[in-house]
Amino acid sequence: MRVLLIGSGGREHAIAQKIAESQKLTKFFCFPGNPGIESLAEKAQCDDSIDSIALWAKENAIDLIVSGPETYLVAGLADEAAKFGIPVFGPTKKGAMLEGSKDFSKQFMKKYNVPTAGFNVFTDYDDAVTFIKSLKKYPTVIKADGLAAGKGVKIALNEKEALHTLQDYMIDNTLGKSGNKIVIEEFMTGEEMSVFYLTDGKKFVQLIAAKDYKRAYDNDQGDNTGGMGCYAPHNSLTQKLKEKIESDVMPGIIKGFQNENFDYRGVLYVGLMLTNEGPKVVEFNCRFGDPETQGIMPLIDNDLLEIFYQSATGNLQFNEVQWKNEYAVSVVIASAGYPAQYEKGKKISFQTSMKDYIHAGTAFMHGEIVTNGGRVLNAVATAKTKEEALQKAYKLATQVSFEGSFYRKDIGS
Ligand code: AMP
Ligand code: GLY
C-alpha cells in the first residue's frame, strides 16, 4: 500500500512509526513532515493546499491518505481526495464540522440528546452583551465558533472578563472569522477525560484512553497548553465508566451519525467532563489528540495500516483493537516561553540519537536539528509497569537539551 501521511507534529511522528511497521506498506510519503517523520517517509512534493495534496496523491498512485491535523479535514481534504477515488483516514468536511464549528457540534448534541453543558449561540455582539449582563452565575464559558488553534475558549470568572472576551472575539476579531459567532456555555466541573473511537461511520471501536497533562508546569500550574505529556492506559477509565459512556453518551452520537449521513471515516475524539450528574461532552474533535497519540500508538498490537484502511473505506471489520499489556509514557520537551511567545532555531543536542525521540517542533538547519515549535520533542517509553515506563521516559528527557528547554517532572502523577 502506498500511503501519504499529512501533518508535522509529534502525533504524526507517532502514527508514522506505527505505519512504518506495517507489512502492508510498500511506499511511505509525508507532508509537510518533520525530521523525525522524514526519517521514515519521503516528503511529497505538493503545496500546502487540499487541492494540491489530492492531485499529488492521484499522480503518485496513493492508496490511502491519513490526516493527523483537523485543519485539512475541516477544509475538505477527504472530499477532494474522493474525487479521485482515494480513501482518507479522516472525515469529510461535513463530519469534520463537529470540530470545525462549536455551534454545529452543540446543535448536534442537543438534537440527539448527547449530555453536554447548556448553551446559547450569538452572532450579534449587542445580544451577547445583553445576555452576559443578565447572567447571575460565574464562571461562564465563552467559545469562538470556528477553529482557533486552542485559543478559542475563555473561562470568564466575572462579568468584566466575559465582556472583555466578547469585545476580543466579536469586535476586535483577535481570532479572525472564527469569533464572528460565539457559544456561551454553562461551566461544568469534574475530571476531564478524552476517549477516542475508531469508526467507519457505522461501527465505533473504543480505544484505550491516555491521561493528558494540559498545564505548562508541574502541579497543574501555568497556562493551558496543547498538552505537556501523557500516560496510557488512563487509570480512571474503569470498566464501570466505560459502561456509563456506552449507555449515556454514545447512543445519541451513533444515532446522530446515521441520521445526519456523516459517512464519518476516521477517529472521533470525545472530550468528556466527568460531572456529578455523569459524563458530559465538552467537545468533539475529528482527529487524534496530541500528545495522547504518542501514548496510545506504541501500545497497539494490530497492524495500524489495516485498521486505518478499513475505516477509510467504510468497512471496519474488527470489534476491538489488540493492546500490548504495557504502559506508555510521553514527556513533552518544550521551548522556553511556550505556550506564549517562544524562540525557534535553537540547536538541539542529543546525547544518544535523534531517532530515540518523537519529533514535534523540529527542523533541519545547515545540517543540524533545531527547534521549530513550542512543543519540540517527546521522550516516549513503554514498559510492563507505569513506574518503569516513567523512569525510562524521564531518562530520555534528561539526555537531550537546547537553550531554554523545559519539561514537566510530574507526568504520571
Ligand atoms: P474545548 O476547546 O471546547 O475543548 O475547550 C477547551 C477546554 O476548556 C476544555 O478542555 C475544558 O478544560 C475547558 N472547557 C470547555 N468547555 C467547558 C465547560 N462548559 N465547562 C468547563 N470547562 C470547559
Ligand atoms: N491534547 C489535546 C488535544 O489534542 O486536543
Side-chain angles (χ1 to χ4, degrees):
M1 203 182 295
R2 295 168 64 84
V3 179
L4 170 60
L5 172 67
I6 306 297
S8 61
R11 168 181 53 204
E12 289 78 24
H13 189 190
I15 292 172
Q17 283 190 338
K18 204 68 200 166
I19 289 179
E21 284 175 11
S22 171
Q23 299 294 323
K24 297 199 153 45
L25 184 70
T26 53
K27 183 77 190 163
F28 197 9
F29 295 97
C30 64
F31 184 83
N34 69 31
I37 302 169
E38 284 165 54
S39 68
L40 303 165
E42 189 181 315
K43 184 164 170 154
Q45 298 304 313
C46 51
D47 297 330
D48 196 18
S49 74
I50 57 167
D51 301 10
S52 173
I53 292 170
L55 190 62
W56 186 91
K58 177 189 168 238
E59 285 168 353
N60 289 273
I62 294 299
D63 301 301
L64 176 70
I65 300 175
V66 176
S67 179
E70 66 281 6
T71 42
Y72 297 91
L73 298 167
V74 172
L77 176 61
D79 310 71
E80 215 43 55
K83 292 181 188 163
F84 303 123
I86 305 168
V88 174
F89 181 79
T92 54
K93 205 169 178 170
K94 193 168 164 193
M97 286 274 283
L98 285 175
E99 174 163 5
S101 164
K102 300 278 186 201
D103 177 26
F104 180 87
S105 90
K106 295 297 283 190
Q107 303 295 354
F108 172 85
M109 289 189 255
K110 189 171 164 188
K111 185 166 171 191
Y112 293 102
N113 289 319
V114 178
T116 189
F119 68 101
N120 290 277
V121 182
F122 298 92
T123 47
D124 183 82
Y125 171 74
D126 293 330
D127 290 349
V129 168
T130 307
F131 179 80
I132 285 296
K133 287 190 168 161
S134 73
L135 260 190
K136 301 276 176 291
K137 228 172 109 190
Y138 282 91
T140 193
V141 185
I142 304 179
K143 297 184 177 182
D145 177 58
L147 291 182
K151 296 187 171 66
V153 176
K154 173 74 185 174
I155 297 180
L157 299 178
N158 50 49
E159 187 178 300
K160 190 173 162 216
E161 278 186 18
L163 292 174
H164 184 76
T165 305
L166 294 184
Q167 169 84 26
D168 244 21
Y169 288 0
M170 301 183 90
I171 304 293
D172 299 339
N173 297 318
T174 51
L175 301 174
K177 276 190 186 155
S178 288
N180 288 357
K181 192 194 268 187
I182 58 150
V183 176
I184 302 182
E185 264 183 37
E186 192 189 330
F187 178 74
M188 303 184 282
T189 51
E191 188 186 357
E192 277 189 70
M193 179 184 292
S194 306
V195 286
F196 299 95
Y197 287 85
L198 280 169
T199 180
D200 58 2
K202 304 173 284 280
K203 188 185 272 185
F204 286 73
V205 178
Q206 197 188 59
L207 303 183
I208 52 168
K211 161 97 180 151
D212 179 13
Y213 292 76
K214 299 283 291 178
R215 300 294 192 101
Y217 309 124
D218 288 10
N219 303 315
D220 286 338
Q221 301 298 303
D223 287 341
N224 251 327
T225 70
M228 292 296 290
C230 74
Y231 78 83
H234 195 322
N235 289 340
S236 306
L237 187 59
T238 58
Q239 189 57 32
K240 201 171 148 209
L241 178 56
K242 269 189 200 165
E243 284 164 15
K244 188 99 183 122
I245 297 169
E246 291 303 318
S247 65
D248 295 5
V249 181
M250 288 312 289
I253 296 177
I254 295 170
K255 183 159 180 239
F257 271 50
Q258 277 151 7
N259 282 12
E260 303 293 325
N261 281 322
F262 281 161
D263 195 15
Y264 192 110
R265 301 166 186 199
V267 68
L268 178 70
Y269 169 134
V270 184
L272 296 169
M273 186 78 78
L274 308 179
T275 73
N276 287 337
E277 297 156 25
K280 294 190 182 182
V281 175
V282 180
E283 62 162 345
F284 292 123
N285 291 318
C286 62
R287 40 99 188 151
F288 279 111
D290 186 339
E292 294 95 315
T293 308
Q294 290 88 307
I296 292 173
M297 287 297 145
L299 300 181
I300 294 181
D301 218 2
N302 297 83
D303 185 324
L304 187 72
L305 207 43
E306 193 171 342
I307 297 177
F308 279 7
Y309 189 74
Q310 285 181 12
S311 160
T313 51
N315 186 27
L316 208 48
Q317 287 179 356
F318 60 96
N319 295 321
E320 50 188 52
V321 172
Q322 302 298 314
W323 300 101
K324 294 180 186 164
N325 191 16
E326 292 182 351
Y327 277 89
V329 168
S330 171
V331 177
V332 171
I333 300 153
S335 299
Y338 175 77
Q341 297 279 71
Y342 54 84
E343 289 177 17
K344 294 183 183 178
K346 307 285 181 198
K347 179 179 177 317
I348 306 176
S349 308
F350 295 96
Q351 275 177 36
T352 60
S353 158
M354 68 162 260
K355 292 200 167 158
D356 290 336
Y357 298 86
I358 293 281
H359 291 236
T362 67
F364 283 117
M365 199 168 76
H366 311 306
E368 288 182 331
I369 306 255
V370 299
T371 65
N372 192 37
R375 294 188 291 178
V376 178
L377 293 162
N378 292 240
V380 179
T382 58
K384 286 284 172 211
T385 65
K386 191 167 122 191
E387 289 63 38
E388 209 187 322
L390 278 165
Q391 241 175 32
K392 281 166 75 178
Y394 272 113
K395 181 163 183 218
L396 269 177
T398 60
Q399 289 174 324
V400 67
S401 61
F402 49 88
E403 189 192 318
S405 62
F406 77 98
Y407 55 86
R408 273 182 68 155
K409 311 282 191 305
D410 64 344
I411 303 301
S413 63

